[in-house]
Amino acid sequence: MGRGTMRYWAAAKAAAGTHEEPYDAATLADAVAAALAARAGRDGGEFERVVRRSSFLVDGDPVGSRPHASVALRDGGVVEVLPPFAGG
């Protein structure tokens, strides 16, 4: 189980209502699920929509198409949530 920081950018930041928050999760899938669950019932639909379209960096490395359940998180790590950006 890793404890670290999730950082949200652009539309993800707006939908999350914060720039960053802690995670306590073993995998990226667990961290994303916890973030979604924390917003359930308070316009979590917009947050979920943005996050589902986002790409992720874990400790600076792109996750790409790897299954999120296979991406281990470490103590002190950083997950960056990057929504699609307009304009290239």
Side-chain angles (χ1 to χ4, degrees):
M1 184 78 63
R3 291 184 176 158
T5 303
M6 269 184 114
R7 292 190 183 140
Y8 302 105
W9 298 97
K13 176 182 171 183
T18 187
H19 172 67
E20 65 181 40
E21 63 188 357
Y23 69 74
D24 188 359
T27 67
L28 178 58
D30 294 339
V32 170
L36 292 172
R39 288 166 178 81
R42 52 172 206 196
D43 196 28
E46 176 64 12
F47 179 71
E48 181 173 5
R49 186 186 70 75
V50 172
V51 169
R52 298 285 183 213
R53 295 180 58 222
S54 294
S55 57
F56 297 85
L57 299 176
V58 174
D59 298 329
D61 294 325
V63 171
S65 62
R66 288 183 288 162
H68 294 172
S70 72
V71 179
L73 300 179
R74 64 175 186 84
D75 272 341
V78 176
V79 173
E80 310 274 349
V81 181
L82 306 167
F85 292 92

